[in-house]
């Protein structure tokens, strides 16, 4: 039998349900309350606008002493997200603080979609393209969004 | 149901005090006034179609309403009004051909029309007025084109020459329109005064109730130690009562998506739901002391009173918006100046120009916002809520409370120990490297006293948990498992 769910996770889940963040949803699995299906809408004005991105999020036993594990399931063309959907984001690594929450992390990820950072790349190929021909890279990101990130 | 009828019914059936009703907008009578304006215009041969046809050649009446713009009557900026200080009547001015009595646009050739179209309209009006009155008039600048209207005299003369020599402004007094605005304007003053007075009264009530609540829930007052058990229990009932209130505040939405004052209908719905919750949980009947029960009843009554004045103000604001729309529609005279002065004076009441959205709740809006804030700070804040004293790491009560000294955050001692065990050096809230140096001296005794006083049950529970956790840390998981406790 697994240990009872910490109060913190219960409260975070409750709040995500009762006061959802606009453009973001996180639904825990019935059989594993530490595993969430996440949906993030591409921010308006970005090349991911109109896209709906699915992610998976897992809270390790040590949470919140360590950050949640999270990755994109939907394919996305972004210099800080690799082909496996892993995300390069400081708050998910060295800058994690136990005072951060699922909510704030998902907001950071949404913000990352709005402001790709090719100077700190995870996906070298995409970052290269982004630096060398930004308008083309943005166009590709738009196409991928249309191709892979549509609702249903 | 027609609004007029609905309005009368609300005023008659909601038990509003007589004094409020005296300030209510007289919708029926104003409607009659509009009919009179309409008839008066018809008698002049100015039906809606003609008026809108003439639009460029008709100067809108000046809706100067005494209580709102009293000083404007004597203002040097509008010299043509100097002569009509007391008995001012809005006037519709139409430029007509003095020979034929025809409005000018009907007699103008298409060529002349085209030439004149190029000229600024107010320039024309000023020029025409100047010629007619034969007095020197500074331009009255209602439009944005301030510099244009101060153009050289030569410019102005040239625009006069474009006018046919026998053009004359005909002034049509509209006494009925004046009556309409004379009736409406003081009502708005009354409604505003009523809002201010009722808000003050309710704020007093809130302060009194705050005192009462403080008396009831103060857990360890000097000399009342014997009663401590009782007031502890009442403290918990009050906390739950307020927690439910905070979860869904009656008059104001705190949610991220739509923050702001609620409408009467929504507030009413919330108050009914809250009342139901209180009855279902039996919170009121569980209270031990008569003083506590009395204060709880007072709290509910206060909310009902706020709702009532909101209702009254909101229905009046709706009446005002409706009647102004009716005025526009039936008379084809825009009450623009009137609305403008309203907007300056009561920004709450009239939405900004260009905004299609009508805020129907009027003064009710500020009542809802102001009193929500008062209740929150003067009553609800008296009973601390557990959520405000949670450790930002584990979300349980911050017991024993530890301050790292870098910021105002208070953590529970267990989380700080955990952070130290994990070698996480930075304060979770402000990122300063203060975790490793924390020790017994960082225990926040002031907060500890406070928590023991207001959350005695939670403190006891956390204390037990902490002791167990300490044993686990010192001797390992096995030591505290039920099977191993046979000692
Ligand atoms: Zn803690
Ligand atoms: Zn700090």
């Amino acid at each position: 039998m697994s240990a009872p769910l910490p109060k913190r996770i219960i409260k975070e889940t409750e709040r995500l349900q009762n006061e959802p963040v606009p453009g973001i949803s996180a639904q825990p699995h019935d059989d594993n309350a530490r595993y969430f299906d996440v949906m993030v809408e591409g921010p308006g004005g970005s090349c991911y606008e109109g896209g709906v991105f699915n992610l998976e999020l897992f809270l390790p036993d040590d949470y919140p002493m360590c950050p949640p594990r999270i990755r994109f399931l939907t394919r996305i063309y972004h210099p800080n997200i690799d082909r496996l959907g892993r995300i390069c984001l400081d708050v998910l690594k060295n800058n994690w603080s136990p005072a951060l929450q699922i909510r704030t992390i998902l907001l950071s990820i949404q913000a990352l979609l709005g402001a790709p950072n090719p100077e700190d790349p995870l996906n070298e190929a995409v970052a290269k393209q982004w630096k060398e021909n930004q308008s083309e890279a943005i166009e590709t990101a738009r196409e991928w969004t249309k191709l892979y990130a549509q609702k249903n | 149901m027609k609004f007029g009828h609905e309005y009368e019914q609300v005023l008659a059936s909601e038990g509003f005090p007589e004094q409020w009703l005296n300030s209510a907008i007289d919708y029926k009578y104003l409607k009659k006034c509009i009919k009179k304006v309409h008839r008066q215009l018809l008698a002049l041969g100015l039906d809606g179609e003609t008026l809108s046809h003439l639009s460029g050649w008709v100067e809108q009446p000046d809706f100067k309403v005494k209580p709102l713009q009293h000083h404007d009557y004597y203002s040097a900026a509008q010299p043509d009004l100097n002569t009509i200080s007391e008995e001012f009547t809005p006037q519709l001015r139409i430029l007509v051909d003095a020979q034929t009595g025809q409005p000018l646009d009907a007699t103008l050739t298409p060529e002349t029309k085209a030439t004149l179209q190029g000229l600024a309209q107010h320039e024309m009006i000023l020029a025409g007025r100047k010629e007619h009155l034969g007095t020197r008039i500074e331009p009255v600048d209602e439009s944005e084109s301030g510099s244009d209207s101060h153009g050289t005299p030569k410019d102005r003369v040239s625009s006069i020459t474009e006018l046919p020599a026998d053009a004359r402004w005909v002034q049509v007094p509209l006494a009925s329109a004046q009556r309409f605005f004379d009736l409406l304007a003081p009502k708005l003053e009354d409604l505003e005064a009523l809002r201010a007075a009722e808000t003050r009264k309710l704020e007093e009530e809130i302060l009194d109730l705050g005192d009462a609540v403080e008396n009831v829930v103060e857990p360890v007052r000097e000399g009342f130690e014997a009663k401590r058990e009782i007031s502890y229990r009442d403290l918990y009932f009050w906390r739950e009562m307020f927690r439910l209130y905070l979860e869904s505040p009656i008059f104001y939405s705190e949610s991220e998506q739509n923050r702001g004052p609620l409408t009467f209908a929504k507030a009413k719905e919330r108050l009914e739901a809250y009342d139901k919750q209180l009855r279902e949980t039996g919170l009121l009947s569980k209270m031990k002391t008569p003083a506590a029960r009395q204060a709880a009843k007072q709290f509910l009554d206060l909310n009902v009173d706020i709702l009532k004045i909101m209702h009254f103000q909101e229905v009046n604001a709706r009446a005002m918006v409706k009647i102004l729309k009716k005025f526009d529609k039936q008379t084809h005279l825009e009450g623009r100046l009137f609305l403008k002065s309203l907007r300056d004076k009561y920004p709450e009441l009239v939405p900004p120009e260009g905004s299609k959205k009508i805020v129907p709740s009027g003064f009710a809006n500020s009542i809802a916002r102001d009193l929500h804030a008062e209740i929150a700070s003067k009553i609800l804040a008296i009973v601390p809520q557990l959520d405000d004293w949670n450790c930002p790491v584990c979300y349980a009560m911050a017991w024993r409370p530890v301050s790292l000294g870098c910021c105002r955050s208070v953590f529970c001692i267990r989380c700080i120990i955990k952070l130290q065990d994990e070698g996480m050096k930075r304060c979770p809230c402000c990122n300063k490297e203060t975790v490793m140096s924390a020790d017994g001296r960082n225990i926040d005794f002031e907060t500890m006293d406070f928590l023991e006083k207001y959350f005695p049950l939670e403190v006891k529970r956390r204390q037990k948990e902490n002791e167990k956790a300490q044993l686990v840390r010192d001797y390992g998981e096995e030591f505290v498992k039920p099977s191993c406790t046979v000692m």
Side-chain angles (χ1 to χ4, degrees):
Chain A
M1 201 195 91
S2 60
L5 210 57
K7 186 172 191 171
R8 153 141 189 176
I9 297 181
I10 296 171
K11 282 200 175 177
E12 274 202 65
T13 308
E14 257 175 28
R15 185 154 174 243
L16 281 168
Q17 240 73 303
N18 298 340
E19 295 169 53
V21 191
I24 291 176
S25 80
Q27 196 69 35
H29 278 201
D30 286 338
D31 55 350
N32 185 353
R34 289 173 173 271
Y35 190 93
F36 292 74
D37 289 326
V38 174
M39 186 276 299
V40 174
E41 286 173 19
S46 75
C47 44
Y48 308 101
E49 184 174 1
V52 176
F53 299 88
N54 294 311
L55 298 89
E56 60 176 3
L57 182 148
F58 179 70
L59 303 174
D61 282 348
D62 282 354
Y63 181 81
M65 290 299 148
C66 67
R69 289 206 203 112
I70 181 159
R71 73 177 186 107
F72 275 80
L73 297 174
T74 306
R75 287 189 71 181
I76 181 167
Y77 192 81
H78 191 292
N80 310 104
I81 300 165
D82 74 5
R83 293 193 320 166
L84 295 173
R86 292 178 299 190
I87 307 160
C88 175
L89 190 62
D90 58 349
V91 287
L92 285 176
K93 298 197 171 82
N94 300 334
N95 282 350
W96 167 253
S97 143
L100 294 172
Q101 320 166 17
I102 299 176
R103 195 183 188 82
T104 45
I105 289 298
L106 294 182
L107 277 168
S108 301
I109 289 174
Q110 200 178 39
L112 184 69
L113 295 188
N117 177 13
E119 299 305 328
D120 182 20
L122 188 63
N123 192 327
E124 294 289 351
V126 176
K128 190 161 172 272
Q129 178 72 355
W130 216 278
K131 278 193 272 194
E132 283 169 5
N133 192 341
Q134 191 176 340
S135 59
E136 204 168 290
I138 287 175
E139 199 41 53
T140 311
R142 250 191 213 114
E143 272 166 30
W144 280 39
T145 303
K146 273 202 200 96
L147 214 52
Y148 304 115
Q150 294 310 300
K151 226 173 198 152
N152 301 324
Chain B
M1 197 173 0
K2 277 203 150 178
F3 176 76
H5 190 62
E6 189 192 325
Y7 179 68
E8 301 287 322
Q9 238 176 25
V10 168
L11 289 189
S13 63
E14 288 295 321
F16 296 129
E18 193 61 32
Q19 184 219 341
W20 294 13
L21 291 175
N22 290 336
S23 317
I25 286 175
D26 196 340
Y27 191 81
K28 234 190 202 160
Y29 194 72
L30 288 170
K31 232 169 94 176
K32 276 189 193 147
C33 287
I34 294 177
K35 282 213 181 99
K36 262 193 201 154
V37 180
H38 186 58
R39 274 203 302 272
Q40 209 184 346
L41 288 169
L42 277 185
L44 295 165
L46 299 169
D47 54 56
E49 208 179 313
T50 313
L51 271 173
S52 46
H53 186 57
L54 285 173
S55 62
W57 296 87
V58 175
E59 202 184 14
Q60 292 293 343
D62 297 313
F63 293 118
K64 301 296 181 206
V65 184
K66 272 174 213 168
L68 281 174
Q69 288 205 333
H70 191 75
H71 299 295
D72 287 353
Y73 289 98
Y74 312 101
S75 158
Q78 307 207 8
D80 56 326
L81 297 181
N82 278 342
T83 50
I84 26 175
S85 54
E86 280 309 314
E87 291 297 311
F88 175 67
T89 305
Q91 292 176 333
L92 196 64
R93 296 194 187 83
I94 307 171
L95 197 59
V96 297
D97 186 314
Q99 303 294 310
T100 63
Q102 285 280 327
L104 271 178
D105 74 331
T107 59
L108 289 175
T109 62
E111 289 85 349
T112 323
K113 260 190 188 169
T115 321
L116 293 179
Q117 254 167 357
L119 297 163
Q121 186 200 336
H122 75 279
E123 198 75 358
M124 297 269 299
I125 290 164
L126 285 173
R129 190 188 295 165
K130 185 178 172 186
E131 187 184 58
H132 175 59
L133 295 175
T135 49
R136 215 187 110 70
I137 295 173
E138 287 307 314
V140 183
D141 186 21
E142 292 282 353
S143 76
E144 300 302 315
S145 52
S147 56
D148 292 3
S149 56
H150 291 284
T152 62
K154 190 169 167 283
D155 289 344
R156 213 167 294 148
V157 168
S158 76
S159 55
I160 292 170
T161 57
E162 300 282 355
L163 275 172
D166 45 4
R168 287 293 179 271
W169 282 99
V170 173
Q171 306 189 343
V172 184
L174 288 174
S176 44
Q178 180 61 30
R179 183 97 192 97
F180 176 85
F181 288 105
D182 274 356
L183 273 170
L184 189 52
K187 289 292 184 190
L188 295 172
E189 298 256 303
D190 286 356
L191 286 170
E192 161 61 13
L194 179 67
R195 181 202 64 78
E198 288 298 316
T199 304
R200 245 191 328 272
K201 213 171 91 193
L202 289 163
E203 279 169 354
E204 288 289 321
E205 256 178 66
I206 288 172
L207 281 181
D208 288 349
L209 186 51
D211 289 344
V213 173
E214 201 151 359
N215 268 326
V216 173
V217 304
E218 180 65 42
V220 274
R221 267 177 300 157
E222 292 297 323
F224 284 80
E225 281 83 358
K227 281 189 172 177
R228 205 189 264 195
E229 274 306 303
I230 292 173
S231 46
Y232 268 159
R233 296 191 48 183
D234 280 353
L235 168 66
Y236 277 85
F237 293 141
W238 278 90
R239 172 144 48 233
E240 180 59 9
M241 189 168 134
F242 286 173
R243 195 188 62 77
L244 290 171
Y245 191 94
L246 284 165
E247 216 171 63
S248 175
I250 310 293
F251 304 109
Y252 194 89
S253 163
E254 302 263 19
S255 82
E256 281 167 40
Q257 308 207 26
N258 41 2
R259 189 177 301 273
L262 296 167
T263 60
F264 163 74
K266 190 78 200 150
K268 182 167 179 245
E269 199 178 283
R270 286 195 172 192
L271 186 55
E272 277 166 0
Y274 182 61
D275 188 58
K276 192 162 159 252
Q277 261 180 324
L278 288 188
R279 265 184 285 124
E280 278 173 4
T281 51
L283 274 175
L284 296 190
S285 49
K286 279 184 198 154
M287 287 191 189
K288 289 293 158 200
T289 60
R293 276 202 296 274
Q294 175 63 30
K297 194 180 166 304
Q298 227 179 309
F299 180 65
L300 277 177
D301 286 349
L302 170 75
N303 280 282
V304 172
D305 286 349
I306 296 173
L307 195 64
K308 200 171 197 171
I309 183 73
M310 258 181 88
H311 191 188
F312 182 77
Q313 291 285 1
E314 195 176 288
V315 78
N316 270 280
R318 272 179 67 201
M320 185 206 65
V321 171
K322 290 252 179 200
I323 205 75
L324 281 174
K325 269 195 178 162
K326 213 176 260 291
F327 182 85
D328 277 358
K329 203 171 137 202
Q330 303 238 339
T331 65
H332 301 269
L333 305 170
E334 288 173 68
R336 241 180 315 168
L337 282 171
F338 182 76
L339 271 175
K340 186 180 173 299
S341 58
L342 263 192
R343 198 171 284 124
D344 292 346
K345 191 148 188 191
Y346 308 117
E348 289 275 354
L349 206 56
V350 195
E353 200 149 11
S355 143
K356 284 271 166 262
K357 201 178 114 208
I358 284 180
V359 186
S361 38
F363 295 133
N365 253 333
S366 60
I367 292 175
R369 193 190 44 234
D370 295 352
L371 294 180
H372 167 77
E374 284 295 294
I375 289 179
S377 64
K378 309 263 161 58
I379 298 179
L380 304 182
I382 293 171
V383 186
Q385 292 289 334
L386 194 55
D387 277 353
D388 297 329
W389 297 94
N390 279 341
C391 161
V393 174
C394 64
Y395 292 16
M397 181 206 264
W399 185 264
R400 293 171 175 249
V402 171
S403 295
L404 293 175
C406 44
C407 58
R408 295 170 61 93
S409 313
V410 178
F411 305 89
C412 69
I413 195 164
R414 266 168 67 195
C415 282
I416 295 300
I417 293 176
K418 231 190 227 165
L419 286 170
Q420 289 180 339
D421 287 353
E422 302 269 340
M424 296 172 80
K425 300 175 188 144
R426 296 177 181 277
C427 164
C429 295
C430 74
N431 232 10
K432 290 214 180 75
E433 289 200 18
T434 48
V435 171
M436 298 322 260
S437 59
D439 57 25
R441 286 169 299 179
N442 288 82
I443 290 190
D444 182 341
F445 287 101
E446 205 181 307
T447 302
M448 215 164 107
D449 280 350
F450 173 89
L451 293 176
E452 270 183 314
K453 193 167 151 187
Y454 280 96
F455 300 96
L457 300 179
E458 289 82 355
V459 164
K460 253 182 226 158
R461 201 176 312 136
R462 286 287 281 166
Q463 203 125 22
K464 277 206 189 107
E465 284 171 14
N466 279 8
E467 281 160 16
K468 195 175 137 191
Q470 191 57 39
L471 289 177
V472 171
R473 188 165 177 265
D474 292 348
Y475 303 105
E477 190 80 48
E478 290 307 308
F479 186 81
V480 286
K481 281 216 171 137
S483 57
C484 303
T485 48
V486 195
M487 295 198 291

